[in-house]
Amino acid sequence: MTLMQWFIFFLLVQVIHFLGTWKLYKKAGRQAWEALIPVYNAVILMKIIGRPWWWTILLFIPIVNLIMFPVIWVETARSFGKNTTTDTLLAIATLGFYLFYINYAADVSYKEDRSLVPKSASGEWISSILFAVVAATIVHTYVMQPFTIPTGSLERTLLIGDFLFVSKFHYGARTPMTTVSFPMVHDTIPGLGIKSYLDKPQLPYFRLPGFQDVERSDIVVFSWPVDTVNAFYGLDDGKYYHKPIDKKSNYVKRAVGLPGDSLKVVDGKVFVNNKPLELPDRAQLQYAYTGVSKSGGFNASNLYNEYKIKSLQFVQGKQFFISELSEENAERFKNHPNVESLERYVRPQGEKEASIFPKGSASLGNVDQIASVYIPKKGTSTAITPENIPLYKRLIEVYEGEEMGEPREITVSGNQVMLNGQPLTSYTFKQDYYWMMGDNRHNSEDSRFWGFVPENHIVGKPVFIWFSWDSNGKGIMEKIRWERLFTTVGGDGKPVSYFLYFVIALIAYLVISKIVKNKRAAKS
């Protein structure tokens, strides 16, 4: 929906509210016109039902308002004596239109001094759970979201089994675009395996102000841009799943290229604006390695415990292949008594892989050799030719077309690129874009394969590891990575665990609370 369509919808809701409640406003001692003024009518309604004025704010927060509207309908009915279970069910089942019956047909009077305390234990539990969900939804959407590292694309910087808190406020929280969704879940309802949202209506993209921009080499959580393409699900039929932006799968990678940068990859190393990419000292890149052993095989447990090698495969005779190994551990592994030689595996220049962005014959190269590519910046323009249109086709058609409510189709006719049948010789970008890559260079599905990440797909910044679980550990105590508990994702130097400090603070709090409680009990 466009902003104008949302404005018309908003006015329609105000008219419906007025028609369904104006007599109730009068019975509560207010004026009928007060039911018609947008926002003001909600503030007055809060006074009528005996609830705080700030509940009005909750009515305008997407997803949260889905919980609040039924609460308001029920509270309004109860304020006029309709407080049976049947009345509650009718208010909810009719989507609030039960108030029309109360307004025009029912013989009711305003209960000014009605008790706001639930009359049963179940009612109290429901109220508590309801507002716990509201509070958690607000925190989850606008402040901090839990996230789990499911793949090894950022190892050994972030590990499979790391449980993170992702800040929404660093880059500015992205307000929900999907208006009807099950709270606090992503695209699927757990246990049921069904879609958790309705595709329409959709709100326009909007981001609250943040206190920093995405900086080069930041680790970023974002909505996977190509989550709608069937080809990425093994279905090469050219069709799309029309998934809303904020319901696409969440990915976590490192922002190696910023808007306006020129980026290339040479022998597996990233260069930005012709300079080697500078990484924070906590970054631990991993590459594939080939080697030759002196005699037999290796002890798998020793490989993992000493060198963090998860998989070593012999390919021919004494030759072996390691899919992921940090440079630091590689230097150490070279001194292993059974290692004859060890070299980093690098795909040759000039070799093209069809799976590399933008796919097929237009491929920029291979995983280790990416030709120089310009990362679009908002407001800048670039010439459009049949040669470079594969780089920007999805950007123009989908990211700045379909997903913004503007259907577009790019075609090539001879030496001319056409946009919706009209010649396109240059294009001005409407938003910023980023180039995301994993630190595990040979085991990462990233921008090398699917290209640019639009600014409106940015979700947040991982800031804190609160738990970490190593599935390769033997016992429960060994599976917990104690050294990673309560560590920050960013910062300089080796990560420091604050778990012990947390435990001490928690014990101190419990002891002090117990002492205070005992003193109060003694006084009474």
Side-chain angles (χ1 to χ4, degrees), residues 167-399:
S167 165
K168 299 293 187 71
F169 55 83
H170 273 75
Y171 304 138
R174 183 181 64 183
T175 59
M177 289 166 267
T178 303
T179 57
V180 181
S181 175
F182 200 83
M184 290 195 305
V185 300
H186 194 52
D187 59 345
T188 306
I189 298 177
L192 299 180
I194 60 176
K195 193 167 70 172
S196 65
Y197 61 92
L198 298 181
D199 292 292
K200 294 181 179 180
Q202 287 281 309
L203 286 169
Y205 164 71
F206 179 76
R207 187 178 296 277
L208 298 174
F211 62 83
Q212 72 174 70
D213 296 325
V214 176
E215 298 177 356
R216 190 177 294 110
S217 295
D218 273 0
I219 294 177
V220 179
V221 173
F222 56 93
S223 303
W224 189 30
V226 295
D227 199 14
T228 57
V229 182
N230 279 9
F232 285 87
Y233 293 89
L235 302 172
D236 194 14
D237 54 11
K239 296 181 180 179
Y240 293 82
Y241 293 104
H242 292 278
K243 222 173 178 184
I245 294 173
D246 57 342
K247 291 302 175 182
K248 293 181 179 182
S249 300
N250 286 334
Y251 263 38
V252 56
K253 307 288 180 185
R254 191 181 297 280
V256 297
L258 302 182
D261 284 344
S262 290
L263 180 143
K264 62 182 178 180
V265 180
V266 180
D267 295 339
K269 303 291 185 178
V270 176
F271 290 79
V272 180
N273 302 324
N274 291 319
K275 297 180 180 179
L277 174 68
E278 294 184 8
L279 291 169
D281 54 8
R282 288 191 185 181
Q284 299 184 54
L285 300 185
Q286 291 200 129
Y287 298 92
Y289 283 81
T290 59
V292 178
S293 69
K294 292 179 179 179
S295 56
F298 297 88
N299 180 279
S301 178
N302 176 263
L303 288 179
Y304 181 76
N305 292 333
E306 295 297 325
Y307 307 101
K308 302 305 178 185
I309 297 174
K310 291 183 177 180
S311 174
L312 184 149
Q313 296 179 328
F314 281 89
V315 293
Q316 184 178 359
K318 296 180 181 180
Q319 295 180 356
F320 60 82
F321 181 80
I322 301 172
S323 59
E324 49 193 70
L325 182 63
S326 70
E327 292 179 299
E328 178 186 353
N329 284 329
E331 288 300 315
R332 294 174 54 245
F333 190 54
K334 285 180 180 179
N335 297 319
H336 189 285
N338 193 32
V339 172
E340 179 72 33
S341 64
L342 185 71
E343 293 182 357
R344 186 161 64 87
Y345 176 73
V346 180
R347 296 285 180 88
Q349 293 188 12
E351 179 185 285
K352 283 192 174 184
E353 297 179 54
S355 59
I356 295 297
F357 175 77
K359 307 292 184 183
S361 60
S363 166
L364 289 173
N366 57 60
V367 292
D368 292 315
Q369 316 287 347
I370 300 290
S372 182
V373 59
Y374 172 75
I375 303 170
K377 183 177 182 179
K378 181 179 179 180
T380 61
S381 300
T382 189
I384 298 297
T385 66
E387 289 72 32
N388 71 4
I389 192 58
L391 290 172
Y392 306 115
K393 186 175 187 292
R394 181 170 173 81
L395 182 155
I396 297 171
E397 281 187 333
V398 180
Y399 305 150

Side-chain angles (χ1 to χ4, degrees), residues 76-91:
T76 302
R78 289 177 177 176
S79 294
F80 291 89
K82 296 293 184 178
N83 51 17
T84 66
T85 301
T86 301
D87 292 321
T88 299
L89 294 175
L90 284 172

Side-chain angles (χ1 to χ4, degrees), residues 494-511:
K494 188 177 180 179
V496 177
S497 173
Y498 294 96
F499 180 67
L500 180 60
Y501 301 100
F502 167 77
V503 172
I504 293 173
L506 180 61
I507 293 174
Y509 170 77
L510 294 175
V511 170

Side-chain angles (χ1 to χ4, degrees), residues 13 58-60 64-75 91 96:
V13 170
L58 302 180
L59 298 178
F60 291 91
V64 171
N65 55 14
L66 296 180
I67 304 171
M68 293 305 302
F69 278 125
V71 172
I72 300 302
W73 299 333
V74 172
E75 290 290 310

